[in-house]
Amino acid sequence: MGEEVKEKKPNKYVEGFKGFCTFLYNPDDHTVFGRGGASWGKILIFYFFFYSCLAGFFAVCLTVMLTTIDPKVPTVVGRTNKPMVATYDSRLYTINLKQDSTKFADYKKGINALKALYDSEDQVGKGFTWNENNLGECSNSDNTRNKLIEGQPAQACLYVGLNRIYNWSPPKSEPSDELSFECNWDAGKTGSGNLDPPFTMALEHKVLDYSLTGFYPWTSMEDSGLQPIVAFKIRADATKMPAVEDQDDYKMDTFVVCNAVMKNANGTSIPLEGSRPAEFEIKYDFTIFSE
């Protein structure tokens, strides 16, 4: 009996690759992706006009929509628009006074960026002015330092203001009530914050040449400009420095919470209804007390 001859099966991967190459370009009928030159020409012309019409339709819709929007007045002003205490540069939420960190330089850059924003041409003559009267030593980033320099202790500043809400005014219970801000030491979210850190903190200004309440209601950047801000100066206090033997157990975590308040003629502060506070963190070590 003769030996049975087995037919060799082609490799499916090789055949699949050949089929794919033929799909990319077929030399027999000169097609690319299964289409000849005439077919490609027709489909390109079709999609050119199709997407041109689509783009034109989108442009018309956008133009019509923009004609219904007032550049000064928001289209929707809802009940969720609540006053929120904030600072306008994320680099200012954390003050790192440690000598071995470059973060303090970033903090100073944040102050200069904020100052440049208020000193811009669009802001001149509107509402708040960045000057020494309104911000005291905090008007110049050169007055901040992260160590003792020529007998002057380390100090930094917190800058706070309210967000912009169209046509909103602080609610008054008495005509003499004035919008203000208060900052206090806080335990923080973890509860580990030092409530008596080696710093003093106070509102910093010389003679305020503006009224926070008088700035509102805010209507637009063109009419009202940037909202007013206040500064709180934080200064290292060597009298609060713990003894050497107590420094290992000393709480270094330091947090500050700033709230918006309404002050009446008697100096009593009432929290601003519906407002949300701003939270800050101060990082330091005891090298801030040495030159």
Side-chain angles (χ1 to χ4, degrees):
M1 295 180 63
E3 186 177 349
E4 184 178 356
V5 178
K6 292 183 178 180
E7 183 180 355
K8 186 178 181 181
K9 295 182 179 180
N11 188 299
K12 62 179 181 179
Y13 297 107
V14 174
E15 292 300 316
F17 180 73
K18 289 181 179 179
F20 177 70
C21 291
T22 303
F23 170 71
L24 293 178
Y25 176 70
N26 191 329
D28 295 331
D29 52 11
H30 303 289
T31 58
V32 177
F33 294 113
R35 292 182 179 274
S39 178
W40 275 112
K42 291 176 182 178
I43 197 171
L44 288 175
I45 292 174
F46 168 78
Y47 279 110
F48 172 78
F49 285 103
F50 173 77
Y51 283 112
S52 296
C53 293
L54 194 63
F57 177 73
F58 176 77
V60 170
C61 289
L62 186 62
T63 302
V64 172
M65 183 188 70
L66 291 176
T67 59
T68 65
I69 297 177
D70 189 326
K72 296 184 179 181
V73 181
T75 304
V76 178
V77 180
R79 295 174 59 189
T80 57
N81 292 340
K82 300 293 184 182
M84 180 174 65
V85 182
T87 189
Y88 312 121
D89 194 296
S90 59
R91 291 171 289 190
L92 302 179
Y93 280 102
T94 300
I95 303 175
N96 195 324
L97 299 171
K98 295 182 178 180
Q99 301 290 315
D100 59 352
S101 175
T102 60
K103 295 297 184 181
F104 191 72
D106 294 336
Y107 163 77
K108 298 184 74 167
K109 289 178 182 178
I111 297 176
N112 291 330
L114 185 61
K115 181 179 183 298
L117 193 63
Y118 277 90
D119 286 343
S120 64
E121 293 183 2
D122 296 338
Q123 180 66 13
V124 175
K126 299 176 183 176
F128 177 80
T129 302
W130 184 290
N131 58 31
E132 193 173 358
N133 278 347
N134 295 330
L135 298 173
E137 290 188 359
C138 294
S139 62
N140 191 336
S141 64
D142 292 337
N143 292 327
T144 62
R145 47 192 173 268
N146 62 346
K147 61 180 179 180
L148 186 68
I149 299 178
E150 296 180 355
Q152 296 297 317
Q155 67 179 28
C157 298
L158 300 177
Y159 301 87
V160 295
L162 287 180
N163 57 326
R164 294 188 294 271
I165 304 175
Y166 175 74
N167 211 29
W168 176 87
S169 294
K172 292 184 176 184
S173 57
E174 297 291 339
S176 60
D177 287 355
E178 179 68 28
L179 174 66
S180 185
F181 295 91
E182 291 182 350
C183 292
N184 299 287
W185 307 116
D186 189 71
K189 296 179 180 178
T190 62
S192 61
N194 190 342
L195 298 180
D196 188 24
F199 298 99
T200 59
M201 178 169 59
L203 187 63
E204 175 68 7
H205 60 76
K206 284 192 172 180
V207 180
L208 291 177
D209 56 16
Y210 70 96
S211 165
L212 288 175
T213 306
F215 175 81
Y216 297 94
W218 183 85
T219 53
S220 69
M221 288 291 291
E222 182 178 344
D223 295 335
S224 306
L226 293 167
Q227 60 272 47
I229 60 174
V230 298
F232 287 83
K233 183 169 71 176
I234 295 175
R235 197 170 194 179
D237 186 353
T239 63
K240 293 184 177 183
M241 183 177 175
V244 176
E245 60 271 17
D246 298 329
Q247 290 182 4
D248 290 339
D249 299 326
Y250 191 76
K251 284 186 177 182
M252 302 298 288
D253 296 335
T254 301
F255 304 97
V256 178
V257 170
C258 296
N259 290 278
V261 298
M262 296 299 296
K263 284 191 174 183
N264 57 30
N266 297 325
T268 304
S269 298
I270 301 174
L272 182 64
E273 182 181 358
S275 65
R276 288 180 290 177
E279 299 176 355
F280 300 86
E281 181 179 5
I282 303 173
K283 297 181 179 180
Y284 65 97
D285 52 33
F286 294 113
T287 60
I288 62 173
F289 296 103
S290 58
E291 295 192 25

